[in-house]
Amino acid sequence: MAEPTGKDKALAKQSRMVAVVIIATLVLWMGAQFAGARFGLTARTVLLFDLLALAAFLWAFIVTYQIWRKRRNNEG
């Protein structure tokens, strides 16, 4: 089996970063929802957390797509 190249290692590192962002976003967003209900945060504040979570998920989607494209172009 061949040793991973620098590109493979960089893509793996980028993939791990995306995974961490997705998990952290999910946990923090769920915590914000719980805090909003528990402490009576305003709808505007909870909406801010929703929008931040959407932005993080959008970033993760874009980076995942870029990783997919890089891997696809390297295989051919």
Side-chain angles (χ1 to χ4, degrees):
M1 181 162 200
E3 188 71 24
T5 64
K7 288 181 184 179
D8 291 335
K9 289 180 181 179
L11 287 175
K13 183 178 178 181
Q14 199 172 19
S15 299
R16 283 190 300 272
M17 183 176 55
V18 168
V20 168
V21 167
I22 290 171
I23 297 294
T25 300
L26 182 62
V27 169
L28 291 173
W29 177 74
M30 288 173 55
Q33 295 299 312
F34 175 77
R38 175 88 171 149
F39 302 117
L41 296 178
T42 64
R44 189 175 189 168
T45 305
V46 175
L47 177 64
L48 176 64
F49 288 119
D50 291 344
L51 292 176
L52 290 173
L54 281 173
F57 285 131
L58 178 64
W59 175 86
F61 176 76
I62 291 169
V63 174
T64 301
Y65 178 74
Q66 291 172 348
I67 292 168
W68 176 73
R69 291 286 309 260
K70 287 177 188 176
R71 286 188 194 261
R72 186 172 174 196
N73 289 338
N74 288 341
E75 288 177 5

